[in-house]
Amino acid sequence: MAGRAMQAGVSTLIPTLTDGMVVLRPLTQDDVPDITQGCQDEVIARWTTVPQPYLAEHAQAFVTEHGPGPNWWQTPTWAITVGGGRWCGTIDLRMDGQGGAEVGFMVAPGSRNRGLATRSLRLTCRWGFAAQDLQVIRWWARVGNDASRSVARNVGFHVHDEILRRALVHRGERVDAWYGDMLPVDAADTPRRPTWQQQDLTAREREVLNHLATGRTNREIAIELGITENTVKNHVRSILEKLPARSRIEAVVIGVQQGLTHLPN
Ligand SMILES: CC(C)(COP(=O)(O)OP(=O)(O)OC[C@H]1O[C@@H](n2cnc3c(N)ncnc32)[C@H](O)[C@@H]1OP(=O)(O)O)[C@@H](O)C(=O)NCCC(=O)NCCS
C-alpha cells in the first residue's frame, strides 16, 4: 500500500481520503491564512493547545512540519476540506510506532455542525486500521468538550464513563480527561471499497504527469516519449483515475500538492 511504500522510502504519495463529500488532503502553504484565521477561535483555544495568541508564523511552521515531507508518516496530518477546496479544519494521527495512534482534530467555527469532524474522523480511522494496520486509536479530551465527545461516540469510539483525573496537561496545568478507544472491530462498517488512494503512479505515468505540468499536448508528449498518442491517452486516463482528478489541470494541481510533480520555473 502507499503508506508502507513511503515508509520504505520508495514513494512520495500521500493519501487523499474521501467519502465523496469530505476530502482530506495534505496541508499546503496556501492554507496558512485560513488556518491562522480559524485558530483565532476561542473554542479551539479552550480545548486544544494551539499557541496563544495564534500568528501566521505558527500556521506556517505547522504546515512546514506537518505538510508533505519525510516526517509525514510519523503524524499523518490532513486538511479537512469539502470537495478538496479550502481548509476547514485539521485532523491528525499521532503514531506511537507500536500499532497505536492518538487522534486530534479541529474544525473552523464557520464550518461546524455539518458533520465534517465526524466524517473526517471516520475516514482517518478506517485508513489507520486498513492501511497502517493500527490495532488501536485513542481519543482524549478535556472534560467538558461535549462536541468532541459526540464526534468520537458517533464514529464508534468506546468512550469510557470514567474521568481520568489530571491525565492531560493544558497550557501548563494538569486537567481531568475523558478517554476513548477504537479497535478495528469497532469500525465494522468499513466499506469494501477503499476510500483512499492505494495505487502509486507508475514511473511512466509520473513521466507523463511531468509533461502535463509543462502544458504539453498528448501529441507533443507522444513525440517526446517516442510512444503513440493513444498510449499517452491511456496513461492520462489512468493518472486521472488514480489521483483522482477530473481534468489534466486538476491532475497537475493534485500532483504538485502530493509532491509527485512540479511546475516548470
Ligand atoms: C469538536 C469539533 C472538531 C467538532 O467539529 P464539527 O465539524 O462541528 O463536528 P460534527 O458536525 O461532525 O459533529 C458535532 C457533534 O457535536 C455536537 N455538539 C456540537 N456542539 C455541542 C455542544 N456545545 N455540546 C454538546 N454537543 C455538541 C453536535 O450536535 C454533533 O453531534 P450529533 O451529530 O450527535 O448531533 C469542533 O467543535 C472543534 O473544532 N472544537 C474545538 C477543537 C476541539 O475541541 N478539538 C477536539 C479536541 S479533543
Side-chain angles (χ1 to χ4, degrees):
M1 286 184 193
R4 298 237 178 76
M6 179 62 190
Q7 281 164 334
V10 296
S11 167
T12 55
L13 186 66
I14 289 178
T16 293
L17 316 184
T18 183
D19 62 4
M21 193 271 248
V22 163
V23 175
L24 303 183
R25 59 156 175 80
L27 293 163
T28 76
Q29 288 293 336
D30 290 346
D31 296 322
V32 166
D34 288 333
I35 297 173
T36 309
Q37 176 64 33
C39 289
Q40 304 306 312
D41 174 48
E42 64 176 34
V43 177
I44 289 178
R46 187 184 316 146
W47 301 120
T48 76
T49 54
V50 298
Q52 284 283 289
Y54 197 91
L55 309 174
E57 65 199 55
H58 294 125
Q60 272 155 11
F62 178 74
V63 171
T64 303
E65 191 179 342
H66 294 285
N71 296 330
W72 189 85
W73 295 89
Q74 284 165 21
T75 308
T77 305
W78 293 269
I80 298 173
T81 73
V82 177
R86 287 174 68 162
W87 179 93
C88 298
T90 305
I91 188 160
D92 60 51
L93 275 178
R94 298 149 205 178
M95 308 294 221
D96 67 14
Q98 302 192 70
E102 187 180 320
V103 71
F105 48 85
M106 68 168 67
V107 168
S111 299
R112 290 200 187 127
N113 293 314
R114 293 160 55 194
L116 294 191
T118 304
R119 285 169 173 269
S120 302
L121 184 58
R122 192 173 286 130
L123 280 168
T124 303
C125 292
R126 283 176 181 163
W127 178 81
F129 291 132
Q132 298 298 300
D133 286 337
L134 288 177
Q135 293 158 45
V136 60
I137 298 176
R138 294 177 289 268
W139 163 87
W140 292 88
R142 280 187 74 175
V143 168
N145 192 348
D146 291 299
S148 182
R149 189 179 170 97
S150 295
V151 170
R153 271 230 162 101
N154 290 343
V155 168
F157 275 74
H158 185 71
V159 176
H160 301 267
D161 289 333
E162 303 79 39
I163 286 175
L164 299 179
R165 296 183 299 167
R166 306 291 186 262
L168 290 178
V169 177
H170 190 82
R171 306 191 191 287
E173 182 198 353
R174 293 215 73 94
V175 295
D176 295 344
W178 282 329
Y179 170 76
D181 48 57
M182 192 178 192
L183 307 183
V185 67
D186 301 323
D189 64 338
T190 301
R192 280 205 195 112
R193 266 188 67 226
T195 47
W196 61 90
Q197 300 158 26
Q198 278 180 281
Q199 289 178 284
D200 287 357
L201 299 188
T202 63
R204 191 56 129 182
E205 287 162 357
R206 292 278 291 268
E207 226 173 334
V208 171
L209 183 62
N210 285 338
H211 284 296
L212 292 182
T214 66
R216 289 196 173 96
T217 63
N218 285 354
R219 190 173 162 68
E220 287 166 339
I221 297 172
I223 293 167
E224 186 73 30
L225 298 181
I227 55 181
T228 68
E229 215 175 317
N230 227 14
T231 307
V232 175
K233 262 190 211 160
N234 288 337
H235 285 314
V236 172
R237 190 179 307 124
S238 176
I239 292 168
L240 297 187
E241 275 173 17
K242 283 181 178 179
L243 285 177
R246 283 162 299 191
S247 67
R248 300 158 74 95
I249 290 175
E250 197 183 5
V252 171
V253 171
I254 293 172
V256 169
Q257 283 174 349
Q258 297 189 357
L260 296 169
T261 189
H262 52 86
L263 296 173
N265 294 324

